[in-house]
Amino acid sequence: MQSPRVSHWEAALRVLRYLKGHPVQGIVLRKDSALQLTAYCDFDWASCPLSRRSLTGYFIFLGGSPISLKTKKQHIVSRSSAESEYRFMDHTCSELTWLKALLKSLSVFQSQPMRL
């Protein structure tokens, strides 16, 4: 995102062409799957060689279906890997809480705890 190239633009156009050609694709939620939110998060401490910022990401499932994905470079330079990990675990928990509230407003109640 900092220095886009022509190859990045072409990759974005390829994704848009795929989505345009397959309009019926979507997230499949099976009837027999438990509607439990499960999140996986990971980080790479001080991985950017120029700014020494950490790269972080999470992947959230509802039952067996992926519903949310995010990667980003942290805004703050962390002093340790533990600080960086806890900072992004907090961000992932906020996303889980928001998704739980969204599901509740759609009358999908969570009977089991969310897993991180």
Side-chain angles (χ1 to χ4, degrees):
M1 296 300 294
Q2 310 307 344
S3 57
R5 305 268 190 254
V6 173
S7 60
H8 298 124
W9 177 252
E10 290 170 354
L13 288 177
R14 190 170 52 240
V15 169
L16 290 175
R17 274 189 229 109
Y18 175 80
L19 292 174
K20 183 180 178 185
H22 299 83
V24 296
Q25 297 294 327
I27 297 174
V28 177
L29 295 174
R30 297 175 46 116
K31 277 197 270 189
D32 58 344
S33 70
L35 294 179
Q36 179 183 13
L37 287 170
T38 304
Y40 298 93
C41 64
D42 194 14
F43 75 102
D44 192 6
W45 182 60
S47 60
C48 181
L50 298 176
S51 64
R52 305 304 298 164
R53 293 186 183 161
S54 301
L55 295 175
T56 54
Y58 64 77
F59 200 57
I60 299 177
F61 288 89
L62 178 61
S65 303
I67 59 169
S68 184
L69 165 71
K70 184 171 186 177
T71 59
K72 67 182 260 184
K73 188 186 295 187
Q74 287 188 343
H75 298 294
I76 299 170
V77 177
S78 299
R79 295 180 186 169
S80 69
S81 62
E83 179 185 352
S84 179
E85 187 171 3
Y86 283 122
R87 185 179 308 277
F88 200 68
M89 283 173 58
D90 175 54
H91 183 75
T92 306
C93 287
S94 297
E95 180 73 10
L96 280 170
T97 304
W98 180 82
L99 284 168
K100 185 175 181 176
L102 177 66
L103 289 171
K104 186 177 179 182
S105 69
L106 296 171
S107 299
V108 178
F109 297 101
Q110 299 288 308
S111 59
Q112 299 175 351
M114 297 178 288
R115 294 174 28 180
L116 176 61

